[in-house]
Amino acid sequence: MTPAELAAVGLRLAVDGPVATITLDRPDVRNAQTPAMWLALAEIGAGLPDDVRVVVVTGEGDTFSAGLDRAMLDPANAGEGSVLGLLALSDDDASARIEEFQRGFTWLRDPRFVSIARVRGYAIGAGFQLALSCDLRVVADDAKFSMKESALGLVPDLTGTKPLVEHVGYARALEICATARVVGADEAVRIGLATAAVPAADLDAAVADLAAALTAPMPGVVPETKALLQGAADRDLDEQRRLEREAQVRRFRAVAAALAG
């Protein structure tokens, strides 16, 4: 997508060598999200250059994302591009449409790169789920997470439930989702939602340092490691050992080729 097309749905993309930064750029509505934004995020993921090794997702201003744009729930905006437009579809077609929206989140798990959510202020509903879609979350000390869907009579459907359970466990995930309560920065670090919480003034530097550390190893190392760790909890030891061996053989050959060259 062109910069103008991205701007039309409230997004910016900047690629600086191995680091791509995606910015939700609707500060007037606290970076609230729309279906058009989710579809554009999926296109960004599909079109990233192969040499991108880190993807940073952030929000313009002092809010990561206030979640779904409430205008998408207004009956006056019940067209095809709105959430309420789903009601005009059959159950199967509505489910298929939601699956298209989910692709705007799932690509951030791709082993080709490590994704980092840079979170300031509120990450609510879809904003929380976008942050959960990233591999790592570095947050300012003013960060506030909340899964607000239950307060609207809805469930989280933008791929956030699985990583939430993986990070904090079933019981705490249920409590966070069912009560729609706010999880602050300190608690987020304590329960495993965030890797670090820093003063807001230090957030950019903390994310830049992490991105630099992730791009320092030889190309291919971090993607292989990410692929090994993803799903490790669901594999038995023999399967995991096999994958480790196969990955290590590929790394030995890559290192040998680099030394020979």
Side-chain angles (χ1 to χ4, degrees):
M1 298 182 71
T2 67
E5 289 171 331
L6 290 175
V9 296
L11 291 171
R12 295 200 317 268
L13 171 65
V15 179
D16 183 8
V19 180
T21 301
I22 299 166
T23 303
L24 279 62
D25 190 14
R26 304 183 72 210
D28 53 323
V29 289
R30 298 194 301 167
N31 301 318
Q33 299 177 34
T34 66
M37 182 183 286
W38 301 332
L39 297 174
L41 283 169
E43 290 198 41
I44 289 175
L48 276 182
D50 289 339
D51 57 354
V52 167
R53 298 169 63 187
V54 171
V55 175
V56 177
V57 181
T58 189
E60 180 63 30
D62 58 6
T63 295
F64 181 75
S65 175
L68 176 67
D69 190 333
R70 294 298 183 91
M72 298 296 100
L73 298 176
D74 187 336
N77 298 315
E80 183 179 347
S82 75
V83 172
L84 283 184
L86 294 171
L87 297 177
L89 304 176
S90 69
D91 286 358
D92 287 345
D93 287 345
S95 179
R97 188 62 171 164
I98 293 171
E99 197 275 334
E100 293 179 358
F101 299 158
Q102 290 173 332
R103 294 177 197 169
F105 296 71
T106 53
W107 70 271
L108 289 161
R109 281 92 159 178
D110 193 313
R112 290 181 301 143
F113 48 75
V114 176
S115 51
I116 305 169
R118 173 201 174 278
V119 181
R120 273 208 66 189
Y122 286 98
I124 306 297
F128 192 1
Q129 294 186 78
L130 184 60
L132 283 167
S133 297
C134 295
D135 299 306
L136 306 171
R137 282 151 297 284
V138 179
V139 307
D141 53 11
D142 64 355
K144 296 177 176 63
F145 297 96
S146 177
M147 205 69 86
K148 270 296 191 195
E149 282 80 0
S150 66
L152 300 173
L154 304 172
V155 300
D157 67 338
L158 295 171
T159 79
T161 55
K162 181 175 174 60
L164 184 60
V165 171
E166 290 172 344
H167 293 312
V168 307
Y170 161 75
R172 196 183 299 272
L174 176 60
E175 180 257 339
I176 288 171
C177 290
T179 66
R181 73 175 179 86
V182 171
V183 178
D186 289 344
E187 183 184 359
V189 173
R190 188 172 70 251
I191 65 178
L193 276 177
T195 56
V198 299
D202 298 334
L203 185 58
D204 285 340
V207 172
D209 287 347
L210 179 56
L214 290 167
T215 56
M218 179 180 177
V221 173
V222 174
E224 288 277 21
T225 303
K226 177 175 173 177
L228 278 174
L229 295 174
Q230 284 181 323
D234 298 324
R235 302 183 193 114
D236 63 29
L237 180 57
D238 285 343
E239 176 70 2
Q240 187 71 8
R241 289 192 307 131
R242 180 185 65 78
L243 292 173
E244 289 175 359
R245 294 193 302 269
E246 293 173 353
Q248 193 69 306
V249 169
R250 290 191 293 270
R251 295 313 311 152
F252 278 140
R253 297 194 186 283
V255 171
L259 292 174

